[in-house]
Amino acid sequence: MSIRAVVLGAGEGSRMKSILPKVIHPVAGRPMIDWVINATASLDPVQTVVVVKPDADQVVAMLPDGATPVVQPRQLGTAHALQYALDAIPLGADDHVLVVPADTPLITSGTLSEMAKLHRRTGAAVTCVTANMEDPTGYGRVVRDGWGRVERIVEHADTTTREREISEINGGVYMFDGSLVGEALARVERDNVQREYYLPDMVAILGAEGYGISAYRTDAEELSGVNTQDQLAHVADIFRRRINRAWMRDGVWMQDAARVYIDASVRLEAGVRIRPGVHLEGSTSVAGGAELGPDCFIRDSRIGPGAKIWYSVLRGASVGMDAEIGPYASLRPGAELGDGAKAGTFVEVKNSVVGARAKVPHLSYVGDAEIGEEANVGAGTITANYDGYDKHRTRIGSKAQIGSNTVLVAPVEVGDEAYTGAGSAITRDVPDGALGVERASQREIPGYAKRRKARHEAG
């Protein structure tokens, strides 16, 4: 049995009230349509067609290789969308057509696999996926006959009062016999409340002709559709619980898993410890023994074993073994901290290398710099890296000691084991082992406070 997959992604999505097309809203770091296409890929379809609206450039740009976009010029219903998809599919004698809506990202490859097995085993003309839902409002209802066989599917807007009491809902996922789908599709009409061509009507059409109808019942959460922002949040919450449970089973400790947010693309090792308020996104990887949180945002970063990060933001950073970040540190793209290094309270590091066991403990900006091993950067230090036109680099040698409130005006170099005096503006290189000091001589003005007060009182 060969399978042609059709993903329906041309819905208006007007209830999302967003400038972003509905099907590319992110869920756990990936567009929701990507989750659906990935689930269908488990059936190894010979072709995957994605039905899109006109001017759906953003959607088309996010489609994986091998997925063919087909434009539905007018949105006249799901059966109408399938017709455009079939026009792009050269159906063979042994082909079967899988149809999945792009706004059901929770559907799993396991469910699709079991549905395909049932379809093959029963020889049905169509197999649909259903579930029992506590609150089925908005979903089509599955109407069965006295023998428990699927008779028809009724969209919510067209249900009678009695049909609305049915808890079994239709998930919009179907497998059609390719030799029958075209003829049945041609018989679908628009005699319904929404004046659309309904794909579920094909169930009744095929059943009335005496063809077999089968249904695979799955968990209701897999069929949760996304039409509004609150439904998107609900689906994202389910994904978060799925992801977190999987990582905890693999040996990751979470103090409060309900407050940990991990993209599907993130990689963790056993032994990672995560406290509440941690967000891990993109290509982030975290080695065993690292401790994250509370309250960290980390994207596209590599965290080494035993590192400790709390109350901090990291984007495109690399953190070595046993390094310490935070609280309230910001590591911007290109920040690299060596083993045992520290970026402490209110420290910002950008496009810089902080060597092994070097420390930037607090209140400093390090940009476009290289800090040698075991150097110490005092509080209030900044690298003045921008001259208004270009960025310049600062180099601080191994075991150098940078005094508090030093301004390093790049390009400049402080040598190995060199010092700078507190409050200095260093504009010239400091040789190895030397002390660089730049200060005006201090002087005292006796009686200043008394004279100042007198001037103020005199007006």
Side-chain angles (χ1 to χ4, degrees):
M1 181 176 79
S2 60
I3 295 173
R4 309 271 178 173
V6 177
V7 177
L8 304 181
E12 289 290 346
S14 57
R15 283 185 283 167
M16 297 292 289
K17 298 181 180 179
S18 171
I19 61 172
L20 195 67
K22 178 176 74 170
V23 298
I24 63 172
H25 276 74
V27 178
R30 291 164 59 180
M32 73 168 80
I33 193 172
D34 193 44
W35 287 105
V36 174
I37 293 174
N38 187 64
T40 65
S42 64
L43 299 183
D44 195 23
V46 296
Q47 184 180 8
T48 299
V49 170
V50 180
V51 182
V52 299
K53 295 191 302 181
D55 303 320
D57 296 343
Q58 288 176 284
V59 178
V60 173
M62 291 192 173
L63 296 181
D65 293 340
T68 303
V70 172
V71 175
Q72 181 188 11
R74 298 172 63 199
Q75 284 63 63
L76 298 179
T78 50
H80 183 250
L82 180 58
Q83 182 62 68
Y84 279 92
L86 292 183
D87 290 344
I89 294 176
L91 286 175
D94 191 42
D95 281 340
H96 294 259
V97 179
L98 169 69
V99 181
V100 187
D103 59 0
T104 54
L106 289 166
I107 194 73
T108 64
S109 57
T111 287
L112 295 183
S113 177
E114 291 302 317
M115 179 192 71
K117 290 177 184 177
L118 177 65
H119 183 75
R120 185 184 299 110
R121 186 172 66 251
T122 60
V126 56
T127 300
C128 50
V129 177
T130 74
N132 285 100
M133 189 170 283
E134 186 174 338
D135 180 7
T137 303
Y139 291 88
R141 306 304 202 280
V142 178
V143 180
R144 295 178 179 265
D145 63 19
W147 299 92
R149 296 172 298 198
V150 175
E151 187 176 81
R152 57 196 169 91
I153 295 172
V154 185
E155 290 294 334
H156 177 83
D158 298 289
T159 54
T160 64
T161 300
R162 185 171 182 177
E163 287 169 341
R164 290 193 180 190
E165 295 176 356
I166 297 172
S167 63
E168 187 179 8
I169 61 101
N170 170 47
V173 180
Y174 310 89
M175 182 82 78
F176 291 100
D177 184 322
S179 65
L180 301 172
V181 65
E183 181 183 346
L185 191 60
R187 295 175 58 189
V188 176
E189 298 179 352
R190 299 171 64 185
D191 53 348
N192 51 66
V193 172
Q194 298 187 75
R195 302 294 297 158
E196 292 184 351
Y197 296 99
Y198 287 160
L199 195 53
D201 287 355
M202 294 176 65
V203 172
I205 290 170
L206 290 167
E209 292 294 320
Y211 294 110
I213 310 298
S214 63
Y216 177 77
R217 194 171 302 188
T218 188
D219 190 280
E221 80 172 21
E222 288 200 31
L223 302 184
S224 298
V226 176
N227 291 298
T228 62
Q229 294 289 349
D230 63 314
Q231 290 173 343
L232 178 66
H234 172 69
V235 166
D237 180 63
I238 293 171
F239 264 106
R240 180 166 57 250
R241 286 188 273 116
R242 283 183 183 179
I243 290 169
N244 290 357
R245 280 197 301 264
W247 284 122
M248 287 188 286
R249 285 194 294 267
D250 287 344
V252 173
W253 177 85
M254 297 184 191
Q255 186 179 38
D256 184 355
R259 295 181 58 204
V260 174
Y261 308 83
I262 304 175
D263 277 0
S265 52
V266 170
R267 292 294 171 261
L268 309 175
E269 291 183 359
V272 171
R273 295 176 61 83
I274 303 178
R275 298 188 184 278
V278 171
H279 299 249
L280 303 177
E281 297 187 354
S283 60
T284 295
S285 64
V286 186
E291 297 185 19
L292 310 179
D295 297 329
C296 295
F297 179 89
I298 302 174
R299 176 189 291 163
D300 299 329
S301 298
R302 184 188 65 81
I303 312 302
K308 294 179 176 58
I309 305 171
W310 56 321
Y311 297 108
S312 295
V313 175
L314 284 72
R315 295 159 291 166
S318 176
V319 178
M321 179 174 63
D322 297 326
E324 184 178 341
I325 313 297
Y328 313 114
S330 173
L331 270 58
R332 292 165 54 191
E336 298 182 23
L337 267 66
D339 295 346
K342 179 177 181 177
T345 309
F346 298 111
V347 168
E348 182 174 7
V349 182
K350 185 270 297 183
N351 192 29
S352 298
V353 177
V354 180
R357 299 174 301 285
K359 292 178 172 55
V360 189
H362 33 225
L363 301 166
S364 296
Y365 169 69
V366 176
D368 301 291
E370 297 170 20
I371 300 176
E373 295 183 0
E374 299 183 43
N376 186 80
V377 177
T381 294
I382 67 168
T383 59
N385 54 331
Y386 184 50
D387 64 6
Y389 298 96
D390 299 302
K391 297 290 181 68
H392 302 280
R393 293 196 71 78
T394 296
R395 291 178 174 80
I396 298 172
S398 299
K399 299 184 180 180
Q401 301 290 318
I402 306 302
S404 295
N405 205 35
T406 294
V407 178
L408 299 163
V409 183
V412 71
E413 182 170 348
V414 177
D416 294 344
E417 300 187 36
Y419 289 72
T420 66
S424 296
I426 303 299
T427 58
R428 298 192 303 269
D429 291 351
V430 179
D432 293 350
L435 168 65
V437 181
E438 185 278 329
R439 293 179 187 148
S441 298
Q442 179 175 320
R443 65 191 183 100
E444 295 78 35
I445 303 174
Y448 170 77
K450 184 176 181 180
R451 292 196 298 273
R452 185 174 183 275
K453 182 179 180 182
R455 286 196 303 269
H456 176 72
E457 291 175 349

